[in-house]
C-alpha cells in the first residue's frame, strides 16, 4: 500500500510539472507567433525537426539504461558513470556533426543563408545527455521531484532568456540561444541534486554487473530506434512543406500550414497527455522491477489498469476538444484555422495516448527492440506516403497519413504488449465505457455551449 501511494504521489508531481510545462509551452508558442508569424513558425519547427535527430541520439538509450539497471538492482555508481560516459561520447559526436554540417543543412533544407541557428543549438547536446541519464536515475528510485524541478527550470530559463535575447539578437538566434541556456540550467539542477543525494545515500545495488556490453544491450536498440525514427521524422517534416508547395500552395502558405499543424495544433493535442506521460515514466521502473523478479500478476494488473485509465481519459479529452476546438484556437493563437485543424485531428487522441503509454510499458518489459521495429516500419510508411500523396491531395493527405500512422503503430504495439504481459482485452472496461462516457460528455458540453 505504501509503495502504491508513493507511485501515485510521484505520478501526481510529474503531472503537475508537466501540465505547467505544456501550458507555458503553448503560451510561449503564441508569443513566438507574434514575433515571427505562421511562416516563421514553420521554419522554427523545421529547424527543431533537424535538431530533434541529434536530441534523440543523445538522450534516449543511456537514459533508459540507467532507469532499467537501477530498478533491477544493477545500478552501481560505476554503472551510472559508464552510462554517462556512453551518452556523453554520443552527444559530442552528434554536436560535432551538427556543427560541421550546419551551413549545408540550413541552406539545403531550411532556406536559410546561414547555419548559425543550428550551431547555437549544438552546445546544448552534452548537457541534454547528462541530464537525461541522471533523470533516468531519479525515475528509477521513484523520485519525481528532481526531474520536475529540472524541467521547470529549463522551461522558464528558456522563456526568460529568449525574451531578453529578442532585444539583442535576431529572432531565430534568440530562440536558439534561449533553448541552449535552458538545457544548461536543467543539467545544473539535476547534477547538483544527484551529487547531494548520492553523497548522503549511495545508490542501492544488489548486483554489481553493469558492463558496457550490458549497457549497449539496453541502449543500442533504443538509440538506434530513436535515431532512425528521428531521421525519418525529420525527413518527413522536410517533405511536408515541399509536398504542399508542389500541390499548389506558395512557399509562404506551405510553411504556414505546416507551422499551424505542428507548431500550434499538436501542442494542444498533446497538452492533456501530461498525466499519461508521467504515468508512462513511472511505469518503466515498476514494470522493470516486476519483470526482473518474475511478478507476472503485477505486470498484468499494471498493464490492465493503464489501458483502462488511458482510454477513458483520452476519449473524454477527444469530446472536450471537438466541442471547444475553435475557442481554443482563438484563445491561444487568435487563429481560426488552428481551431479547424484541431477539431479534425481530435479523434486521433485515443490512439496517440495509448501508443505513448504502451511504448513506455514495452521498454519496461525489455521489449525495446520491438518498439524499434514498429517505429521503423511506421516511419518508412509515413515518409513514402507523404512523398507520394501530398503533392496530389495536399494537407488532407497529411491528416489522413497521421491517422493511418497512429492506427498502424498502436495496433502493433498493443498486440505485442498483450502477448508479453498476458493481458486479456476488457471490451466493456476499455472500449464501451470510455466511448459511452465520451458521447454523454459531448452532448452535455454541446448543450451547455448552446445555452450559454
Amino acid at each position: 500500500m505504501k509503495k502504491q501511494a508513493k507511485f501515485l504521489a510521484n505520478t501526481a508531481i510529474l503531472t503537475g510539472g508537466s501540465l505547467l510545462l505544456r501550458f507555458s509551452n503553448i503560451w510561449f508558442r503564441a508569443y513566438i507567433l507574434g514575433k515571427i508569424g505562421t511562416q516563421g513558425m514553420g521554419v522554427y519547427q523545421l529547424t527543431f525537426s533537424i535538431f530533434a535527430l541529434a536530441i534523440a541520439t543523445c538522450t534516449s538509450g543511456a537514459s533508459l539504461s540507467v532507469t532499467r539497471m537501477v530498478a533491477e538492482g544493477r545500478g552501481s555508481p560505476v554503472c551510472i558513470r559508464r552510462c554517462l560516459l556512453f551518452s556523453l561520447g554520443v552527444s559530442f559526436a552528434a554536436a560535432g556533426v551538427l556543427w560541421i554540417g550546419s551551413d549545408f543543412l540550413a541552406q539545403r533544407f531550411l532556406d536559410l543563408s546561414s547555419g548559425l541557428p543550428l550551431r547555437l543549438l549544438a552546445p546544448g547536446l552534452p548537457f541534454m545527455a547528462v541530464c537525461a541519464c541522471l533523470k533516468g536515475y531519479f525515475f528509477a528510485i521513484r523520485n519525481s521531484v528532481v526531474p520536475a524541478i529540472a524541467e521547470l527550470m529549463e522551461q522558464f530559463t528558456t522563456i526568460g532568456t529568449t525574451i531578453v535575447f529578442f532585444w539583442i539578437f535576431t529572432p531565430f538566434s534568440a530562440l536558439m540561444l534561449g533553448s541552449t541556456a535552458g538545457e544548461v540550467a536543467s543539467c545544473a539542477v539535476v547534477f547538483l541534486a544527484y551529487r547531494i543525494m548520492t553523497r548522503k545515500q549511495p545508490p542501492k545495488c544488489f548486483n554489481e554487473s553493469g558492463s558496457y556490453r550490458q549497457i549497449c544491450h539496453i541502449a543500442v536498440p533504443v538509440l538506434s530506434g530513436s535515431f532512425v525514427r528521428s531521421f525519418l521524422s525529420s525527413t518527413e517534416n522536410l517533405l511536408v512543406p515541399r509536398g504542399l508547395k508542389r500541390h499548389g500552395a506558395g512557399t509562404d502558405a506551405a510553411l504556414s500550414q505546416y507551422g499551424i499543424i505542428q507548431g500550434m495544433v499538436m501542442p494542444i493535442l498533446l497538452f492533456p497527455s501530461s498525466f499519461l506521460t508521467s504515468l508512462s515514466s513511472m511505469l518503466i521502473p515498476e514494470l522493470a522491477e516486476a519483470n526482473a523478479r518474475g511478478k507476472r500478476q503485477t505486470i498484468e494488473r499494471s498493464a490492465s489498469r493503464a489501458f483502462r485509465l488511458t482510454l477513458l481519459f483520452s476519449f473524454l479529452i477527444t469530446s472536450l476538444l471537438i466541442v471547444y476546438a475553435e475557442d481554443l484556437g482563438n484563445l491561444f493563437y487568435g487563429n481560426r484555422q488552428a481551431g479547424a485543424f484541431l477539431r479534425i485531428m481530435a479523434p486521433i487522441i485515443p490512439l496517440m495516448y495509448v501508443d505513448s503509454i504502451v511504448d513506455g510499458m514495452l521498454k519496461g518489459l525489455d521489449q525495446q527492440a520491438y518498439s524499434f521495429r514498429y517505429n521503423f516500419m511506421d516511419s518508412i510508411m509515413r515518409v513514402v506516403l507523404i512523398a507520394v500523396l501530398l503533392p496530389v491531395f495536399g494537407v488532407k493527405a497529411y491528416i489522413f497519413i497521421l491517422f493511418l500512422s497512429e492506427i498502424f503503430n498502436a495496433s502493433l504495439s498493443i498486440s505485442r504488449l498483450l502477448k508479453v504481459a498476458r493481458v486479456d482485452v476488457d471490451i466493456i472496461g476499455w472500449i464501451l465505457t470510455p466511448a459511452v462516457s465520451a458521447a454523454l460528455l459531448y452532448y452535455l458540453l454541446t448543450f451547455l455551449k448552446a445555452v450559454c
Side-chain angles (χ1 to χ4, degrees):
M1 200 67 184
K2 182 179 179 181
K3 186 176 181 180
Q4 184 177 8
K6 186 176 181 180
F7 176 84
L8 293 174
N10 279 299
T11 303
I13 292 170
L14 278 177
T15 301
S18 184
L19 285 170
L20 184 57
L21 282 171
R22 297 198 180 197
F23 181 78
S24 63
N25 184 50
I26 293 174
W27 175 86
F28 187 46
R29 286 176 179 272
Y31 175 79
I32 293 172
L33 182 66
K35 293 286 186 179
I36 61 179
T38 54
Q39 180 188 356
M41 181 65 77
V43 176
Y44 173 76
Q45 285 298 129
L46 288 177
T47 302
F48 271 89
S49 72
I50 292 176
F51 186 53
L53 178 61
I55 294 175
T57 304
C58 299
T59 62
S60 54
S63 175
L64 180 63
S65 297
V66 173
T67 299
R68 284 270 308 277
M69 288 188 169
V70 173
E72 294 170 2
R74 294 184 287 163
S76 66
V78 173
C79 174
I80 294 173
R81 283 198 296 271
R82 286 173 177 170
C83 289
L84 283 169
L85 290 173
F86 176 88
S87 191
L88 277 172
V90 174
S91 68
F92 279 112
V97 171
L98 187 64
W99 185 282
I100 294 170
S102 58
D103 286 330
F104 169 78
L105 293 170
Q107 294 167 11
R108 182 70 177 82
F109 300 110
L110 304 177
D111 292 326
L112 296 176
S113 58
S114 170
L116 180 62
L118 291 173
R119 286 197 294 274
L120 293 175
L121 289 171
L125 291 173
F127 295 98
M128 287 185 184
V130 172
C131 190
C133 281
L134 297 183
K135 281 182 181 178
Y137 167 77
F138 285 110
F139 285 134
I141 64 170
R142 281 65 160 182
N143 182 324
S144 61
V145 176
V146 172
I149 292 174
E151 289 179 0
L152 290 172
M153 177 63 73
E154 175 189 341
Q155 181 78 337
F156 293 125
T157 301
T158 298
I159 293 173
T161 53
T162 300
I163 292 174
V164 172
F165 288 155
F166 268 132
W167 293 88
I168 305 171
F169 304 102
T170 61
F172 280 100
S173 294
L175 288 167
M176 307 312 153
L177 284 170
S179 176
T180 300
E183 299 300 340
V184 174
S186 177
C187 180
V189 169
V190 177
F191 182 77
L192 182 61
Y194 174 78
R195 292 289 293 174
I196 292 173
M197 292 187 65
T198 52
R199 281 181 180 176
K200 293 181 178 179
Q201 185 177 2
K204 293 180 180 179
C205 182
F206 306 108
N207 185 342
E208 289 295 332
S209 62
S211 66
Y212 283 112
R213 183 176 181 179
Q214 292 169 326
I215 293 169
C216 289
H217 168 73
I218 300 172
V220 171
V222 177
L223 189 152
S224 301
S226 297
F227 179 84
V228 173
R229 181 76 185 268
S230 296
F231 176 78
L232 293 171
S233 178
S234 298
T235 302
E236 169 195 327
N237 290 331
L238 295 169
L239 286 173
V240 171
R242 297 187 178 201
L244 295 174
K245 187 177 179 180
R246 289 175 61 189
H247 177 66
T251 302
D252 293 353
L255 286 171
S256 294
Q257 287 181 337
Y258 174 75
I260 289 171
I261 293 175
Q262 289 294 332
M264 299 160 68
V265 173
M266 293 305 292
I268 295 179
L269 285 178
L270 294 174
F271 173 73
S273 68
S274 299
F275 174 75
L276 300 176
T277 303
S278 306
L279 179 64
S280 179
S281 298
M282 297 308 300
L283 275 174
I284 290 177
E286 292 290 334
L287 291 177
E289 180 180 336
N291 191 46
R293 299 184 180 183
K295 297 181 177 180
R296 306 308 307 177
Q297 290 186 344
T298 300
I299 294 172
E300 181 182 351
R301 185 168 56 251
S302 298
S304 181
R305 287 177 179 174
F307 272 114
R308 191 181 305 113
L309 174 63
T310 302
L311 287 167
L312 178 61
F313 179 75
S314 60
F315 270 96
L316 295 177
I317 292 299
T318 299
S319 295
L320 186 67
L321 290 185
I322 289 175
V323 174
Y324 293 106
E326 292 184 357
D327 299 300
L328 290 171
N330 287 325
L331 174 65
F332 289 112
Y333 307 115
N335 190 300
R336 294 184 63 85
Q337 192 176 8
F341 279 127
L342 183 60
R343 175 173 284 113
I344 293 170
M345 296 181 65
I348 204 175
I349 284 177
L351 289 171
M352 291 176 64
Y353 289 9
V354 168
D355 188 33
S356 174
I357 201 161
V358 167
D359 188 62
M361 287 191 286
L362 286 175
K363 291 175 181 176
L365 295 172
D366 197 24
Q367 299 294 307
Q368 58 271 9
Y370 287 92
S371 293
F372 162 63
R373 186 184 306 170
Y374 302 151
N375 291 335
F376 177 73
M377 294 164 59
D378 175 45
S379 297
I380 288 288
M381 181 186 73
R382 285 170 64 138
V383 168
V384 171
L385 290 177
I386 285 172
V388 173
L389 297 181
L390 245 67
V392 181
F393 300 104
V395 71
K396 294 179 181 178
Y398 185 46
I399 294 173
F400 167 77
I401 292 167
L402 292 177
F403 274 86
L404 181 63
S405 168
E406 288 296 340
I407 293 171
F408 176 77
N409 202 334
S411 298
L412 292 175
S413 298
I414 291 171
S415 176
R416 182 62 190 174
L417 181 65
L418 293 177
K419 181 178 179 180
V420 173
R422 301 174 188 174
V423 180
D424 295 325
V425 177
D426 181 2
I427 299 294
I428 295 176
W430 294 5
I431 300 173
L432 290 181
T433 300
V436 171
S437 301
L440 292 174
L441 179 63
Y442 171 79
Y443 288 115
L444 175 62
L445 293 176
T446 302
F447 173 75
L448 292 175
K449 188 176 180 181
V451 171
C452 299

